Amino acid sequence: MAATSGSRVVIVGGGFAGLFAARRLKAPLQVTLIDRAEHHLFQPLLYQCATGILSEGKIASPLRALLAKHRNVEFQLAQVTGIDAAARKMTARRPLGEEIEFGYDYLILAAGVRQSYFGHDEYAAFAPGMKSIEDAMRIRRRVFGAFELAESATDPAERRRWLTFALVGAGPTGVELAGQIRELATKTLRDEYRHIKPGDARVLLFDGVSAPLASFGPKLSAMAARDLGKLGVELHMGSIVTEADLGSIGVKDKDGNVTRHEVGTILWTAGVAAPPLAEAVAKATGAETDRAGRLICGKDLSLPGHPEILVTGDLMCLDKLPGVAEVAMQSGLYAARRIRHEVRGETYDKPFRYHDLGSAAYISRGRAVVSAFGLNFGGFIGWLAWLFIHIGFLTGYRNRVGAILGWWFAFTRDLRRERTFTVDDTPVPTGAYGHLHGPDHPEGTDP
């Protein structure tokens, strides 16, 4: 069909896939980008926000600002609630509760994924994952708050519990967060307390696989295990979480033995699941999903029988592609390219091909592991490569400069300048100070 002012493209999700697609769809196409958050987030650095190196403003940018020069693109703050694939319409709910409807000629699904607790969603109340700014700030409260509670505790056993951190999942997020907590304890906080030694903090890393960063291959996995061991991270590989509560975690090892660990903080960095949108789309289109609920799409990213619906980023299931930023960027660009050709009446039969630019994981200052262009390396060279990769992927000049400054203070002077937190979210039964704060009970007053 020919491109006209009536050619409408709706994009669900303002992550890498959605943003890269929106920027490539030019007038006369009318583009609407829908997201329940007002910002684009650089998720790979959330753990640095959680551990005080970078502020949330350095890893997130307002979507309206990023799209300001793209006059044919409109941003809508809303949460998609349903889809009518036959009528090519989507419904969404705005923050004040208003229902709104969007018609489309093309639909790009780029909604990403959420944390999976493998059927134990009750764990989310005390074991936060890390997928959003809210998650990172919650983890910051838990991590820095744990040291404060340990300093306040008078019972040695209680103090040890608060200085014990359990992380579930030894992929990149778990490895990076584990390394940062140990580095925080042994460097940044080492001289700040009078009754505890932050360096005594234990960081326990659990995963059912045999080694950390297993997806990086045996060489880099072994390198990561070695560096984590030097940092003092305790690796519990081949361990599956069987139960968890506010103050402990039970894990079963490969021999079937269950061990209970008393911990003050549990952080969940394992597993992903598709959002409810994927199930709604599957029901409306007859599309199949994988075990995580992601939509199985064709080589052209479309759903069977619905060439106008393209699935991108983490939400798509295609050729076992990893859920990384590079896949999201490239799939978003491909979707936009295909739509541009088709609305001009041109045939576009090239399948999506992912060009692997490599993977990188930060271990600690001066240590990282990188797999890129057929090369596997780590140590200081890997760390430098990690720096350049992440500087390049950050959105916006100001964010790049801000990240460099944050890293400079953290890496050269052991300073983490983004450590502000509140204790309202402290994981104790009665809440901070023995009561919960709220509009009826302001801080500093009794309920």
Side-chain angles (χ1 to χ4, degrees):
M1 63 181 181
T4 67
S5 59
S7 297
R8 303 159 300 173
V9 182
V10 171
I11 303 173
V12 182
F16 282 111
L19 180 62
F20 273 56
R23 286 172 155 178
R24 289 298 180 94
L25 293 169
K26 308 297 184 181
L29 289 170
Q30 295 180 347
V31 182
T32 302
L33 190 153
I34 308 170
D35 201 304
R36 62 193 306 273
E38 53 75 42
H39 56 265
H40 166 77
L41 176 63
F42 189 73
Q43 282 192 346
L45 289 178
L46 271 175
Y47 73 95
Q48 294 204 358
C49 177
T51 54
I53 295 178
L54 299 177
S55 71
E56 59 271 29
K58 300 298 187 298
I59 62 172
S61 300
L63 283 166
R64 294 190 187 280
L66 294 174
L67 298 171
K69 295 181 180 179
H70 301 265
R71 305 304 298 175
N72 66 311
V73 181
E74 180 183 13
F75 171 66
Q76 289 279 351
L77 184 66
Q79 181 170 344
V80 174
T81 55
I83 177 174
D84 184 339
R88 297 192 179 186
K89 293 180 180 179
M90 300 203 76
T91 55
R93 181 180 296 110
R94 286 176 168 162
L96 294 178
E98 177 190 0
E99 294 287 342
I100 186 171
E101 189 175 83
F102 300 93
Y104 63 84
D105 298 300
Y106 286 94
L107 173 63
I108 298 177
L109 299 173
V113 290
R114 57 180 176 168
Q115 197 73 57
S116 171
Y117 289 88
F118 306 110
H120 291 278
D121 290 345
E122 68 273 15
Y123 292 171
F126 49 82
M130 192 155 58
K131 293 295 181 185
S132 66
I133 287 291
E134 291 85 353
D135 292 336
M137 300 307 290
R138 190 178 179 194
I139 290 175
R140 181 190 293 183
R141 291 194 294 269
R142 297 295 175 91
V143 170
F144 286 98
F147 288 98
E148 293 296 335
L149 293 173
E151 176 80 355
S152 301
T154 55
D155 177 53
E158 183 73 358
R159 182 170 289 174
R160 284 193 300 271
R161 188 176 73 83
W162 283 116
L163 288 177
T164 303
F165 300 82
L167 282 78
V168 182
T173 301
V175 164
E176 290 169 333
L177 190 54
Q180 282 304 291
I181 293 175
R182 276 297 296 168
E183 198 169 73
L184 173 71
T186 58
K187 297 182 183 298
T188 306
L189 302 180
R190 61 186 172 188
D191 297 324
E192 294 190 4
Y193 292 89
R194 301 296 179 262
H195 302 288
I196 64 170
K197 293 181 179 179
D200 291 340
R202 299 176 63 201
V203 178
L204 316 178
L205 184 60
F206 300 96
D207 203 306
V209 299
S210 59
L213 296 181
S215 62
F216 281 55
K219 178 182 177 180
L220 294 183
S221 180
M223 192 177 296
R226 181 198 65 199
D227 289 342
L228 288 169
K230 289 181 179 179
L231 278 173
V233 176
E234 301 175 30
L235 300 179
H236 296 262
M237 300 295 100
S239 299
I240 300 174
V241 175
T242 57
E243 51 186 323
D245 56 36
L246 202 58
S248 63
I249 187 170
V251 294
K252 181 171 65 176
D253 62 23
K254 57 185 177 182
D255 296 323
N257 301 315
V258 177
T259 304
R260 196 84 184 181
H261 298 268
E262 298 295 319
V263 299
T265 303
I266 305 173
L267 305 177
W268 201 273
T269 58
V272 296
L277 171 65
E279 182 179 0
V281 171
K283 289 181 178 179
T285 62
E288 296 182 355
T289 59
D290 67 1
R291 292 179 61 184
R294 297 175 300 181
L295 293 163
I296 298 176
C297 61
K299 296 287 187 180
D300 61 355
L301 304 189
S302 71
L303 294 180
H306 291 275
E308 76 283 0
I309 302 179
L310 307 179
V311 190
T312 60
D314 293 353
L315 193 60
M316 73 177 184
C317 177
L318 175 66
D319 297 335
K320 298 182 179 180
L321 291 174
V324 295
E326 293 94 332
V327 172
M329 294 175 190
Q330 293 179 36
S331 61
L333 292 174
Y334 173 90
R337 191 182 309 119
R338 186 186 147 199
I339 290 172
R340 291 203 318 267
H341 278 79
E342 291 189 0
V343 297
R344 291 197 297 262
E346 302 170 359
T347 300
Y348 192 76
D349 54 7
K350 294 181 180 179
F352 173 68
R353 289 191 177 91
Y354 171 56
H355 301 284
D356 189 357
L357 303 179
S359 302
Y362 182 97
I363 308 297
S364 65
R365 183 175 59 189
R367 295 190 183 110
V369 294
V370 177
S371 175
F373 307 109
L375 301 175
N376 296 316
F377 55 97
F380 187 73
I381 299 300
W383 183 66
L384 290 177
W386 177 92
L387 285 172
F388 282 108
I389 290 170
H390 284 72
I391 290 171
F393 280 158
L394 276 170
T395 303
Y397 172 79
R398 293 183 64 181
N399 282 5
R400 294 189 182 106
V401 172
I404 291 171
L405 290 175
W407 288 336
W408 173 262
F409 285 108
F411 299 152
T412 63
R413 301 178 61 187
D414 293 327
L415 292 177
R416 295 173 188 250
R417 310 186 76 171
E418 304 297 338
R419 289 166 48 183
T420 302
F421 71 98
T422 63
V423 296
D424 293 6
D425 190 37
T426 302
V428 293
T430 57
Y433 303 112
H435 60 83
L436 298 174
H437 295 311
D440 297 327
H441 307 295
E443 187 171 358
T445 67
D446 293 325

